[in-house]
Amino acid sequence: MELKRVVVTGLGALTPIGNTVSEYWEGLSTGKSGCGPITKFDAEKFRTRFACELKNFSVEEFIPRQEARKMDPFTQYAIVASDEAIKDAGFDMESINKNKVGVIWGSGIGGLKTFEDEMIYFGKGDGTPKINPFFIPKMIADSSSGQISIRNGFRGPNYVTVSACSSANNAIIDAFNYIRTGRINICVTGGSEAPVTIASVGGFTAMRAMSERNDDPATASRPYDVNRDGFVVGEGAGALILEEYEHAKARGAKIYAELIGGGFSSDAYHITAPHPEGYGALLSMIDALEDAQIKPEEVDYINTHGTSTPIGDPQELKAIVDCFGEHAYKMSISSTKSMTGHLLGGAGAVEAVASILAIQHQFVPPTINCHDLDPAIDQKLDLTLNQGKARKIDVALSNGFGFGGHNATVIFRKV
Amino acid sequence: MFDNLSFNSNLCIVFEPQNILEMADIAEKVKSIIVEKLGVEASEVTPEASFTNDLGADSLDTVELIMEFEKEFNVSIPDDQAENIQTVGQAITYLEENAK
């Protein structure tokens, strides 16, 4: 079976460093930190009291209050980002076959805030379960893709992938497969997360996975710096419109890039720690390169998973050296989580958007906050420290790794 | 109005001005809950208006409304009674009779 080509024809972003794709790119290219004190709940007694929250975001500007209140924030973010991407794609909604439009979204957790609020309310009662009837439909992770389809009338395949921090990459790869095998023409994909909540921040700090740099939040997310002390949680969404190439060409669509490969693997090692040799990360990148049918030497830029955790960062870079050999030193590498924080299930989506924008602008966004490179890291790698730079980017690769040992990699190419 | 009052066991208390005011309060609170939860205009919330047929509520909205009434008025509305509360007026009447 001959596989069809799949291109990106629309983008959406709602992130801690910008509420639209253009604002997001402005933040990425100039090295802006999205981090600040937590405002969403009283974090006074928490080990970590900062996060990458959205700024100046009012959901009612996008979704009528009556609809918004039946959505968890992670679904609200999904709606806002996918609206931007759908509009950007410039579809004539009357003429496209909506039965052949899928929505495959990623979320690592789902409606955590909804879950928390309802259980806190229950806990304050006398044991009578006065559970709100919208509790379940708001909480379940697939409500995001469901709401996108309801809003737009898209009746193709519709579900949410859950693989922690590789969720959105898995969603993108699934969408890719449905289009290249001819099952659908268009798919709305990406991912979102709303994890600035008491359970999430409390839970991740209990694992000692989060930075506790409360005296200087803006520099807390510092991948590859020797003094990094954990990830910084972020919220928001990224959205991509994937479309079969001939379909896009026939309607004269603007094409950002081609999605040429997706790879995945499992560490089969530990529920949270990455494989010490980065073996799962290596397998995922090899799988993606094979799927894309390109040589490792063709990759110009890698947007790493790079979360700023002590144990995660070096393993991924080791895997990159193992995968690319000498070419690893010729490509540009950066972790945009240094700016956005870690959007968990939405991370792969905003980083895919960043990778595509890097191709569009022929510019590598930086890894900010790294002033003292960890000696355990190969010093010859170009990690784009603290300053973005212009360079030729034909092919960009983006990694996403999740608790549970899930790894997924996507590769985009300039068209 | 007086039909509703006759259900009350102690008429002499009902006729005190304070309780008359409370009745008006109940109706106003019911209306504001409906406006808030269903996102409709206050002018649409007439006593005859049906939650599902006139105010756009689905089955989950209706359950949520009943729960909000229970919370706001500190009552427990049994399912068999809740089934009979399908209009704004029916809700007001029920709560006037049962609110604590």
Side-chain angles (χ1 to χ4, degrees):
Chain A
M1 176 186 188
E2 194 179 331
L3 295 175
K4 296 172 188 295
R5 294 174 67 185
V6 178
V7 291
V8 180
T9 57
L11 295 175
L14 175 63
T15 77
I17 60 170
N19 294 356
T20 62
V21 169
S22 62
E23 286 177 24
Y24 178 44
W25 180 250
E26 173 70 20
L28 284 175
S29 55
T30 58
K32 179 178 173 182
S33 167
C35 196
I38 287 174
T39 65
K40 297 210 175 270
F41 63 92
D42 179 3
E44 192 193 337
K45 294 182 179 170
F46 284 62
R47 299 176 71 97
T48 297
R49 298 184 288 280
F50 57 90
C52 287
E53 295 184 348
L54 298 176
K55 318 288 186 301
N56 306 314
F57 174 69
S58 170
V59 69
E60 291 174 26
E61 289 173 24
F62 301 91
I63 309 169
R65 194 176 57 88
Q66 290 309 315
E67 290 175 40
R69 76 176 189 85
K70 295 177 185 175
M71 300 174 188
D72 185 87
F74 94 101
T75 295
Q76 297 171 356
Y77 304 163
I79 292 287
V80 173
S82 62
D83 273 2
E84 185 186 14
I86 291 163
K87 188 171 174 219
D88 185 37
F91 296 126
D92 174 358
M93 292 292 252
E94 299 306 312
S95 71
I96 59 170
N97 180 358
K98 291 184 183 177
N99 296 348
K100 293 284 188 183
V101 180
V103 182
I104 301 175
W105 202 251
S107 177
I109 305 173
L112 189 56
K113 175 78 165 64
T114 298
F115 186 82
E116 275 178 27
D117 288 350
E118 202 67 34
M119 290 302 104
I120 289 169
Y121 176 68
F122 175 75
K124 286 178 177 166
D126 65 359
T128 309
K130 294 175 182 167
I131 309 295
N132 187 288
F134 294 104
F135 167 59
I136 298 286
K138 277 173 75 174
M139 176 195 65
I140 51 180
D142 51 295
S143 60
S144 47
S145 64
Q147 292 281 14
I148 293 170
S149 74
I150 292 165
R151 189 171 175 89
N152 297 286
F154 297 151
R155 296 194 172 82
N158 188 295
Y159 58 86
V160 162
T161 54
V162 177
S163 51
C165 309
S166 59
S167 298
N169 275 1
N170 280 119
I172 292 167
I173 295 168
D174 281 14
F176 179 41
N177 286 335
Y178 282 115
I179 297 172
R180 63 177 167 169
T181 52
R183 300 293 299 275
I184 53 175
N185 302 319
I186 296 164
C187 196
V188 181
T189 186
S192 60
E193 206 81 80
V196 187
T197 76
I198 54 174
S200 163
V201 175
F204 285 120
T205 51
M207 298 169 68
R208 302 291 188 272
M210 284 177 77
S211 169
E212 297 177 13
R213 195 176 299 279
N214 291 301
D215 58 348
D216 191 10
T219 72
S221 186
R222 49 172 75 193
Y224 315 127
D225 188 278
V226 71
N227 294 313
R228 68 190 182 281
D229 69 334
F231 79 85
V232 176
V233 76
E235 61 173 354
L240 294 79
I241 305 300
L242 298 185
E243 187 168 354
E244 192 271 316
Y245 177 58
E246 295 298 334
H247 189 276
K249 233 172 43 174
R251 68 179 186 89
K254 160 187 64 189
I255 294 173
Y256 284 97
E258 181 173 0
L259 174 55
I260 56 172
F264 16 54
S265 73
S266 179
D267 276 6
Y269 172 70
H270 186 272
I271 196 69
T272 56
H275 189 278
E277 301 299 318
Y279 190 52
L282 173 64
L283 287 179
S284 183
M285 287 187 279
I286 290 172
D287 194 43
L289 289 168
E290 286 178 358
D291 189 44
Q293 297 179 22
I294 61 170
K295 295 197 261 324
E297 293 73 28
E298 292 179 66
V299 176
D300 301 300
Y301 169 56
I302 294 186
N303 186 301
T304 58
H305 185 59
T307 57
S308 181
T309 51
I311 58 170
D313 293 357
Q315 277 77 1
E316 181 182 17
L317 296 181
K318 180 181 183 308
I320 288 171
V321 173
D322 289 346
C323 182
F324 293 90
E326 280 300 308
H327 181 68
Y329 307 112
K330 294 181 187 139
M331 60 172 78
S332 288
I333 298 168
S334 69
S335 166
T336 48
K337 285 189 181 79
S338 58
M339 298 174 272
T340 62
H342 189 355
L343 274 66
L344 310 182
V350 295
E351 286 154 28
V353 173
S355 303
I356 293 161
L357 292 173
I359 292 172
Q360 186 194 12
H361 294 277
Q362 297 288 292
F363 188 91
V364 184
T367 306
I368 66 167
N369 297 326
C370 182
H371 298 288
D372 197 358
L373 187 62
D374 184 349
I377 286 169
D378 193 327
Q379 307 286 304
K380 299 200 295 291
L381 292 169
D382 175 7
L383 299 170
T384 325
L385 300 183
N386 305 312
Q387 185 82 47
K389 66 175 178 190
R391 75 160 281 167
K392 178 185 81 68
I393 306 174
D394 286 338
V395 175
L397 177 153
S398 177
N399 277 332
F401 311 139
F403 283 168
H406 322 286
N407 309 295
T409 300
V410 291
I411 304 178
F412 297 95
R413 182 164 61 196
K414 188 179 171 193
V415 174
Chain B
M1 186 78 179
F2 282 91
D3 279 355
N4 299 340
L5 296 181
S6 66
F7 283 95
N8 200 295
S9 58
N10 193 337
L11 282 174
C12 61
I13 291 178
V14 166
F15 280 109
E16 283 178 11
Q18 187 189 348
N19 287 72
I20 299 285
L21 190 66
E22 280 177 8
M23 296 276 227
D25 273 358
I26 288 176
E28 282 311 305
K29 275 184 187 163
V30 166
K31 283 181 188 171
S32 74
I33 288 170
I34 293 167
V35 167
E36 154 79 18
K37 292 295 174 189
L38 301 184
V40 291
E41 296 296 326
S43 59
E44 297 175 70
V45 188
T46 59
E48 304 77 30
S50 153
F51 300 138
T52 51
N53 297 333
D54 302 315
L55 301 177
D58 63 20
S59 61
L60 297 182
D61 289 312
T62 312
V63 175
E64 191 186 36
L65 275 181
I66 296 292
M67 290 182 61
E68 281 299 311
F69 296 149
E70 290 182 322
K71 205 188 292 181
E72 178 68 33
F73 299 103
N74 191 27
V75 292
S76 177
I77 306 175
D79 286 353
D80 59 340
Q81 309 246 1
E83 283 166 15
N84 298 325
I85 302 175
Q86 294 181 3
T87 67
V88 176
Q90 286 165 350
I92 293 171
T93 302
Y94 182 90
L95 292 163
E96 282 175 348
E97 288 167 9
N98 295 283
K100 288 165 191 165

